[in-house]
Amino acid sequence: MKKLLIFVCIFLFAFSGFSETLFIDPDDVKCEMSDTLYGLFFEDINCAADGGLYPEILLNRSFEYQSLLNPQRHDRYTGWRMIRIGYGDSEWELRNDNPIHANNETYLSVSVKNGAVNLMNQGFNGSAMRGDVKVFKDQKYDLSLYARSDDFEGEIVVSVTNSGAVPVTETMRIEPNDTWTKYEMTVTAERDTNGFFTIEIIGDGNVDIDMASCMPSDRTGKEWPGGGIRTDIFETLKDLNPKFLRFPGGCVAEGSHFRSNFYNWKDTVGPVETRKENANTWGGMQTYGIGFYEYFMMCEALGAYAVPVVHAGVLCQAREIKEPLLSVEETKAYAQDILDLIEFATGDATSEWGSLRAEMGHPDPFELKYIAIGNENWAAPYFTRYGILEKIVKEAYPNITTIVAAGPVAEGGLINDSWNNIRRSFSDSLVDEHYYMDSGWFLKNTNRYDRYPRTTKVFLGEFAAHEPVQGSRRPNNLYAALCEAAYLTGIERNSDLVEMCCYAPLLARDGMVDWTPNLIWFNEKDVLLTPSFHIQKMFSENAGDEVLNTGFDLENVYHVVTKTKDAIQIKIVNVSEDEKCIGIEIENGKTANAEVTELSGKRSDTNSFVKPEKVVPVSFELEFENGESKITLKPMSCTIIVVPMK
Ligand code: AHR
């Protein structure tokens, strides 16, 4: 009889199409969930800052451009093209006597003799023949320029032009005097143009030029000293509902090869024309138009904790190091820079660094709970320096959580050694793990953190699933995103241990790529969301307060269930090519119908600027009766079911 019953059950189950039922007991709590789990990691890679979120359209606006490994004086002309018009005997040269500010040392000096000169900036991705200063019909742009002259007679006309130097905006006419003066004007584009920013100088005499600028007028934070950020990209970041923002790197924070490449936060604050540009580890320059003040402003606008990363006196170990790390004595002295940074963020407006913050426009302190010392560092020389810096920071600011790096890999001797060091000496620090692994690894390791002792908390500061390279890129396809989603179910199950996590890298400008894949792509006009972006957003929008214990075992299906005061969140990832029909039963469930968000498609699907909505989430309602329901999980899908509890 019993056998018959089992047979009938199996028969009914098979023919009803159900493969498994997910039983949920809302009182069976496994652990509390971190309330800072999902955030952002921002680094100036792939033109994420200069040429991206920082809306300066001109390349090398201040003639400071240089190459990190082989600096040459002529690099400082990068992005500019000088043309003599007609007859005349005009010359130009780079000079550094009496600059706008000692930190902004180089400017262009033009000597025009009975003739005319066009100085043309080609933008980030242009060439001498094809400008990349892109303006769009009826959009407004803020042009500005510093100039100086004690003898010039004639006309100086500034505008955006087509490649034939014909203006496509109104023109700004300037009459410089013998002190550096900023000239500015808002203009409107007559038509869409890929052109140049052109300064036409007609007449006789010498003119000095620096800090040329062209920015769209509709930017966010225009009043910030750096000049603001690109609104559409910032709104996209806001959509991710981030709980923290890690910045400014990455390798950029450590600097590479030379000590002069360490990221020095003090170079990035104050009036923008006084900031000291630095070569970017990933190529190009960092204008620091987005500097530490702007980062803190962004955190405030996002409602996210700031997670500044400072170097630990150790250059990027993953790259060739040409100069030695800071000695122990130098490290102790450098600690003051970190204390000054904390004072800049949190000191009152009468303190030395707090007063600079107040002058820049924010008299009230920013909130600062975390500071990361080092990025992707490892081994004894790093841990010695971390120990020195952490002790000094903790003595002065015991409430700040310091973050220690565990190196750049997921597995093996290096990370084991890091953890041994950390457990021995820094078990109160938050541990910054980074790994970029193939997609399959993420599926196999969803239980990674089940095994970790609960004593020391983890910050997964950089991760992404990597697919095999196609052409020159690793694609941002649906499969990689689903493997990340499956992994996040494991992270949520362990979010008593994993306090924070963020995908990397965050942003990439189409055509100017250092690294793939990336979470968000953009060009001059559009922002493109990847399947991984949609996963991050779906998870961060539906984070719970507590994780529930659930037993549910279905091949290639990963899940986690969490709850808040008035709802249950069920996240299920089906990484197979088959549909799966499952039942859901919530014990004592007084439930209303659920809201479902589903992301699905073909394994290799990607979004592109031509088809940006090939993979996008869809929403629908799912009927629940007395806590029971059933749902068909699509092949290759991530489904989030939010069940309101009455
Ligand atoms: O996210 C890109 C790079 O990956 C970061 O700069 C570095 O920390 C890691 O190696």
Side-chain angles (χ1 to χ4, degrees), residues 253-419:
E254 299 162 89
S256 58
H257 300 86
F258 304 104
R259 285 181 180 191
S260 58
N261 199 235
F262 280 140
Y263 190 106
N264 178 356
W265 75 269
K266 287 179 181 167
D267 290 342
T268 77
V269 291
V272 71
E273 68 280 6
T274 69
R275 300 183 189 179
K276 191 171 169 52
E277 294 196 3
N278 196 356
N280 185 325
T281 299
W282 296 105
M285 289 295 284
Q286 301 176 85
T287 64
Y288 294 139
I290 299 178
F292 262 55
Y293 178 85
E294 288 76 20
Y295 281 121
F296 284 120
M297 291 302 285
M298 277 200 272
C299 291
E300 207 169 71
L302 290 167
Y305 287 112
V307 185
V309 183
V310 295
H311 73 81
V314 185
L315 288 156
C316 177
Q317 288 162 278
R319 291 176 165 77
E320 192 189 342
I321 296 174
K322 295 200 185 296
E323 288 179 4
L325 54 180
L326 295 189
S327 69
V328 165
E329 281 318 307
E330 287 168 328
T331 304
K332 285 182 186 156
Y334 156 66
Q336 188 57 48
D337 273 4
I338 305 180
L339 298 181
D340 291 345
L341 168 61
I342 301 173
E343 185 179 282
F344 175 76
T346 64
D348 69 44
T350 58
S351 62
E352 183 187 350
W353 290 99
S355 68
L356 175 60
R357 182 198 67 236
E359 264 167 43
M360 291 179 76
H362 201 284
D364 292 334
F366 293 115
E367 188 175 6
L368 184 63
K369 199 173 154 195
Y370 302 96
I371 193 151
I373 303 174
N375 167 50
E376 230 168 45
N377 306 117
W378 67 89
Y382 163 63
F383 289 113
T384 305
R385 281 151 189 79
Y386 177 81
I388 295 168
L389 298 169
E390 182 242 19
K391 184 161 180 283
I392 295 173
V393 169
K394 282 297 217 185
E395 268 165 20
Y397 297 98
N399 294 330
I400 289 193
T401 300
T402 50
I403 301 176
V404 61
V409 289
E411 298 168 335
L414 189 155
I415 187 167
N416 293 343
D417 179 65
S418 294
W419 269 105

Side-chain angles (χ1 to χ4, degrees), residues 599-620:
L599 189 73
S600 69
K602 292 208 191 73
R603 182 185 166 118
S604 59
D605 281 352
T606 56
N607 290 333
S608 65
F609 285 99
V610 184
K611 283 196 180 158
E613 303 211 331
K614 189 156 182 187
V615 188
V616 284
V618 293
S619 297
F620 55 91

Side-chain angles (χ1 to χ4, degrees), residues 41 43 45 246 249-252 254 282 375-376 408 434 436 462 504-505 515:
F41 162 48
E43 176 177 36
I45 182 172
R246 175 178 183 255
C251 300
V252 157
E254 299 162 89
W282 296 105
N375 167 50
E376 230 168 45
H434 293 183
Y436 300 93
E462 295 183 24
W515 180 291

Side-chain angles (χ1 to χ4, degrees), residues 11-73:
F11 181 84
L12 283 177
F13 208 62
F15 286 90
S16 65
F18 279 91
S19 39
E20 180 80 62
T21 294
L22 172 63
F23 294 100
I24 299 170
D25 175 357
D27 294 327
D28 189 3
V29 174
K30 175 181 184 291
C31 62
E32 280 203 2
M33 211 175 142
S34 162
D35 56 6
T36 52
L37 188 58
Y38 295 109
L40 306 177
F41 162 48
F42 181 90
E43 176 177 36
D44 194 2
I45 182 172
N46 309 307
C47 282
D50 287 302
L53 184 61
Y54 189 54
E56 178 59 74
I57 297 173
L58 308 190
L59 175 65
N60 188 24
R61 65 180 175 193
S62 64
F63 306 98
E64 304 298 323
Y65 203 95
Q66 56 176 303
S67 143
L68 173 64
L69 291 177
N70 184 21
Q72 302 283 338
R73 193 162 168 77

Side-chain angles (χ1 to χ4, degrees), residues 76 107 129 132 134 212 215 219 244 282 366 371 386 393 465 497 504 509 513 526 536 539 555 594 597 613 617 630:
R76 299 200 177 209
Y107 60 88
M129 303 314 294
D132 187 43
K134 284 202 177 70
M215 293 195 189
R219 35 197 213 279
F244 65 87
W282 296 105
F366 293 115
I371 193 151
Y386 177 81
V393 169
L497 172 86
R509 177 172 167 146
V513 181
D526 297 315
Q536 289 291 317
F539 273 68
E555 210 185 345
T597 314
E613 303 211 331
K630 54 189 174 190

